Amino acid sequence: MAAPLVAAERAAWLRAELERHNRAYYVLDAPTIPDAEYDRLFRELQDLERQYPELLTPDSPTQRVGAPPLKEFPSRVHGVPMLSLNNAFEPAEVEAFDKRVRDGLETISAIDYAVEPKFDGLAISLTYENGVFTRGATRGDGITGEEVTPNLRTLRDIPLRLQGDGWPALIEIRGEVLMFKADFARLNARLRERGDKELVNPRNGAAGSLRQLDSRITAGRPLSFFAYGVGAGANDLAVRTHGELMDKLAAWGFPVAAERRVVQGARGLLAYFAEIGEKRPALPYDIDGVVYKVNRLDWQDRLGFVSRAPRFAIAHKFPAEEALTEVLGIDVQVGRTGAITPVARLKPVFVGGVTVTNATLHNEDEVRRKDVRVGDTVIVRRAGDVIPEVVAIVADKRPTRELFGGEPLHPPFELPRVCPECGSAVVKGEDEAIARCTGGLYCPAQRKQALWHFAARRAMDIEGLGDKLVDQLVEAGLVHTPADLYQLTVEQLANLERMGEKSAQNLVAAIAHSRQTTMARFIFALGIRNVGEATARDLAKHFGGLDALLAADVAALQLVPDVGPIVAQSIAAFFAEAHNREVIDGLRQAGVTWEEGLPEQAGPQVLAGKTLVLTGTLPTLKRDEAKAMIEAAGGKVAGSVSKKTDFVVAGEEAGSKLEKAQELGVTVIDEAGLMKLLEKGVEG
């Protein structure tokens, strides 16, 4: 039956579209669609060609592997073609593969399969002559690749001379160049710092790095290599199985997958797939599936090849971690610390094993860098338990105003100036990527975090008010701001889960006890960004009273020791928010008070100007007690030892800080020595 016109037109469109994507992926290292979308188009073309054989053309993408080699590099014909693998996505397809293998070998016995992760990198072939690396090439179109020998020589994982013995005079080693996840993140961080364009993903980072015309650039990129097979020269090896071949490659000095093994039958294949799927998030590199190969090499020869793939092997791919979908809107979410995160509302799409309707856009700078807009078609990625994110837009699918010169239909994203949860101002500090809501004491999104911090031991020290109880109080609607804590009754608390009468009485008493505090503790309890305990003490000492602090502008705040422009801006923004002022007024009206007008630490300042470091366990003093005594005497307690440290106070099981002090020649004292210092000060 002749193919209907609609099928012929669809096949022609698919061939053109796949060729365009082949070039973007293999040649330009800049894919425009996720792998899963490419696979879907490819399988659709395969189905059409199977249904209507006359549509199959010699230049169809189903009959080739990749794309023609780049003209910038010399061409290199592979000794043995570098074919790709057919894919399986469902267990039934794996079982069908196993059946085809057994039918082809005319056996009903369970087949031994060599199994290993499917690396998501760039396939290459390395040629060794008499054990010496002479040239290397990319896969290219499977027959001819780009010779990138100088670049491959920069990879430390690739041996320039084979170790051991037993190799033929000429042999082609097949493997994958890739970039480890951690290396990719560090490289992107460097690119970001320089203001350069970031890489889309580790696979394209590896491909682009290997195809540099200047090998010095490749040498500066964190590339790795894993071997997985042999091309020319395979028949000259004294091995019977693929497993033995991998052992031999390892003996010659090549990295090979540690997760490789041999399993039996379809059941063994599927069990291995499930195992690697669980390990996948923790692997140091990206994989997109696993590879199954008949283990016996003579059986591989018997099974042979189809046009573009071996019959003895198949790739079992994981559910797509990337997919295409449409941005329906861009909202913002407010985190527990006030961080404002843009979130894309998406047309539902199945990716990474779940249906995704939202994806993070991280921050305002990321939205602008990627230029994500409402109506855009985007690539969404979800890896394991990682929050889905928008990777990139598909620029040629952006809706435009055709009547107005093709301008985009929707404007660029603008971050709101007020918090969508509480209406407080949104600010972004200098040199910070994340914008934040300033209504820390008032904002519903920050409520639990604000209450937990307010009640902490080093803040208002409300004993018994932990995070679980804070959750109950908020979810029951009993507490909205810290000021509401002072209105709680025993009856209200006793009705909460796991709270009896006695516990409720103890908590009410602890809350009442916290009314009498210090100005430093109160300032710290407010949870002002960038204001820790030391800064809170400095503010209390400098201003002496809360009203003076509330009236201070940025310039006045910077007169406080160790308060720079960033900290001053955080403090000023916090107190400028009317909602925060309302909560502070409520706390004062509830009876929270402290002594004002006098320095909080009025004792002799015998350690003024001295820096001490505490390490180990002291005989009688707790760390906090020792710290408080040092600060009361005018000293400063640092967290690490340096040349500026005056004394290290060492107790039992003192570790690296003690070693660093001895290395730098810093004076080391024990608890008794500390007490002597506090009593008499530093002599001389």
Side-chain angles (χ1 to χ4, degrees):
M1 181 179 70
L5 180 61
V6 65
E9 290 177 345
R10 181 63 177 173
W13 181 86
L14 287 168
R15 284 194 294 271
E17 191 73 356
L18 288 167
E19 281 300 305
R20 184 168 73 87
H21 294 308
N22 270 341
R23 176 172 173 76
Y25 186 95
Y26 290 104
V27 178
L28 303 178
D29 301 318
T32 54
I33 59 172
D35 289 350
E37 181 70 8
Y38 180 91
D39 290 339
R40 186 187 68 77
L41 297 175
F42 190 93
R43 286 163 75 91
E44 182 182 352
L45 180 58
Q46 279 184 317
D47 291 343
L48 281 174
E49 291 174 345
R50 275 195 292 266
Q51 187 176 359
Y52 306 108
E54 67 272 22
L55 296 180
L56 180 60
T57 61
D59 64 343
S60 172
T62 63
Q63 305 303 299
R64 52 193 281 148
V65 174
L70 287 173
K71 295 179 180 178
E72 290 85 350
F73 294 102
S75 296
R76 174 63 61 180
V77 177
H78 301 301
V80 172
M82 292 186 71
L83 301 180
S84 61
L85 300 174
N86 284 327
N87 294 325
F89 295 91
E90 302 294 336
E93 295 175 298
V94 175
E95 293 167 349
F97 162 72
D98 176 59
K99 184 178 185 304
R100 288 195 302 272
V101 168
R102 286 185 286 109
D103 289 346
L105 296 173
E106 299 179 341
T107 181
I108 60 172
S109 301
I111 303 297
D112 282 350
Y113 292 99
V115 294
E116 59 198 25
K118 183 178 182 295
F119 299 111
D120 194 11
L122 183 71
I124 62 166
S125 177
L126 308 172
T127 301
Y128 288 79
E129 298 180 22
N130 298 315
V132 177
F133 176 51
T134 56
R135 59 186 176 274
T138 64
R139 172 184 284 169
D141 62 6
I143 304 298
T144 304
E146 305 107 27
E147 183 173 331
V148 288
T149 306
N151 294 349
L152 288 169
R153 287 184 184 277
T154 70
L155 273 68
R156 298 182 183 276
D157 288 343
I158 295 177
L160 299 181
R161 180 181 292 274
L162 300 182
Q163 301 172 13
D165 54 29
W167 53 79
L170 186 145
I171 188 169
E172 287 181 338
I173 307 298
R174 301 286 165 79
E176 201 92 357
V177 170
L178 49 83
M179 197 176 287
F180 278 47
K181 296 174 185 175
D183 292 333
F184 172 76
R186 283 191 288 267
L187 176 59
N188 258 354
R190 291 203 305 270
L191 295 174
R192 190 162 52 245
E193 287 172 5
R194 296 203 304 256
D196 294 338
K197 182 180 179 182
E198 293 182 48
L199 305 176
V200 175
N201 54 47
R203 188 269 166 200
N204 291 100
S209 299
L210 193 60
R211 284 164 155 164
Q212 295 292 326
L213 296 177
D214 185 346
S215 61
R216 292 172 297 182
I217 297 177
T218 306
R221 297 288 176 86
L223 299 178
S224 299
F225 173 77
F226 283 92
Y228 57 64
V230 172
N235 294 331
D236 299 325
L237 295 174
V239 293
R240 298 183 308 107
T241 67
H242 182 78
E244 293 176 7
L245 173 62
M246 296 301 290
D247 291 340
K248 189 169 286 291
L249 291 178
W252 289 346
F254 292 102
V256 294
E259 296 79 14
R260 73 189 190 283
R261 72 176 65 145
V262 175
V263 301
Q264 278 197 326
R267 181 176 297 179
L269 296 178
L270 294 174
Y272 178 77
F273 181 80
E275 176 190 333
I276 295 297
E278 290 181 3
K279 292 181 178 179
R280 184 185 185 190
L283 291 176
Y285 41 73
D286 280 342
I287 62 173
D288 57 1
V290 296
V291 176
Y292 309 140
K293 299 176 183 176
V294 172
N295 194 35
R296 281 180 50 171
L297 299 180
D298 60 335
W299 283 3
Q300 289 186 10
D301 291 338
R302 279 179 58 185
L303 290 166
F305 299 82
V306 291
S307 59
R308 65 183 296 274
R311 291 190 177 94
F312 57 79
I314 197 168
H316 189 179
K317 302 190 80 171
F318 292 121
E321 290 192 319
E322 293 185 351
L324 287 183
T325 190
E326 180 185 343
V327 177
L328 302 179
I330 300 178
D331 301 328
V332 294
Q333 291 181 348
V334 187
R336 291 183 59 157
T337 62
I340 305 292
T341 303
V343 175
R345 282 191 292 107
L346 305 172
K347 185 176 181 180
V349 61
F350 193 75
V351 56
V354 301
T355 299
V356 171
T357 56
N358 295 296
T360 181
L361 292 165
H362 297 294
N363 55 58
E364 183 182 23
D365 293 340
E366 277 291 283
V367 181
R368 290 184 175 176
R369 183 179 68 82
K370 294 174 181 175
D371 193 22
V372 181
R373 306 188 188 189
V374 174
D376 279 349
T377 297
V378 294
I379 300 173
V380 178
R381 178 177 177 83
R382 180 185 181 273
D385 294 328
V386 177
I387 298 170
E389 67 171 338
V390 172
V391 178
I393 67 168
V394 181
D396 58 5
K397 292 182 178 290
R398 169 167 287 169
T400 59
R401 301 177 186 272
E402 295 297 335
L403 297 178
F404 298 91
E407 292 182 359
L409 185 61
H410 298 283
F413 170 78
E414 293 288 342
L415 197 73
R417 296 183 179 180
V418 296
C419 173
E421 295 285 344
C422 69
S424 300
V426 170
V427 300
K428 184 166 73 170
E430 188 176 345
D431 297 327
E432 289 189 347
I434 299 175
R436 297 179 186 274
C437 165
T438 56
L441 295 178
Y442 177 83
C443 182
Q446 302 176 67
R447 188 168 293 156
K448 292 180 180 179
Q449 177 73 16
L451 289 168
W452 178 84
H453 177 80
F454 183 84
R457 182 164 56 88
R458 295 179 178 178
M460 298 300 287
D461 192 20
I462 303 177
E463 187 175 352
L465 186 56
D467 53 355
K468 291 182 180 179
L469 185 52
V470 165
D471 288 346
Q472 288 191 70
L473 291 171
V474 171
E475 289 161 11
L478 295 176
V479 176
H480 297 87
T481 76
D484 295 335
L485 291 171
Y486 296 92
Q487 309 303 322
L488 290 172
T489 65
V490 172
E491 291 73 23
Q492 288 174 316
L493 293 171
N495 289 327
L496 296 176
E497 185 180 353
R498 298 180 181 176
M499 278 290 287
E501 185 84 13
K502 183 63 175 176
S503 297
Q505 290 174 353
N506 290 340
L507 181 56
V508 169
I511 293 172
H513 183 265
S514 73
R515 282 189 170 94
Q516 188 62 46
T517 186
T518 66
M519 182 174 165
R521 280 181 173 269
F522 183 79
I523 294 170
F524 178 60
L526 297 179
I528 305 168
R529 182 165 172 75
N530 297 316
V531 175
E533 291 177 83
T535 302
R537 280 192 296 271
D538 291 340
L539 291 168
K541 289 177 182 179
H542 183 85
F543 290 101
L546 185 62
D547 291 332
L549 173 59
L550 294 174
D553 59 15
V554 172
L557 289 165
Q558 290 186 71
L559 297 176
V560 180
D562 297 327
V563 173
I566 293 177
V567 177
Q569 288 284 356
S570 294
I571 298 168
F574 184 90
F575 288 131
E577 180 52 57
H579 292 137
N580 291 333
R581 295 270 192 148
E582 291 172 8
V583 177
I584 291 170
D585 288 343
L587 287 166
R588 297 173 92 172
Q589 291 169 15
V592 177
T593 186
W594 54 86
E595 187 176 355
E596 291 192 351
L598 294 173
E600 293 178 11
Q601 310 295 349
Q605 304 293 284
V606 293
L607 294 182
K610 301 299 179 181
T611 299
L612 290 81
V613 171
L614 299 169
T615 182
T617 303
L618 299 178
T620 64
L621 291 175
K622 294 181 180 179
R623 182 76 62 90
D624 288 348
E625 292 172 342
K627 182 180 179 183
M629 293 169 71
I630 292 168
E631 290 172 344
K636 177 181 178 182
V637 178
S640 59
V641 180
S642 70
K643 292 180 179 179
K644 296 181 179 180
T645 305
D646 295 294
F647 297 96
V648 168
V649 183
E652 292 184 9
E653 298 183 5
S656 59
K657 293 177 182 177
L658 176 57
E659 295 174 3
K660 185 67 176 292
Q662 293 168 339
E663 179 185 323
L664 296 176
V666 175
T667 302
V668 178
I669 58 176
D670 58 10
E671 183 180 302
L674 173 62
M675 299 308 293
K676 183 178 178 181
L677 277 181
L678 292 170
E679 181 182 352
K680 298 182 178 180
V682 182
E683 295 179 359

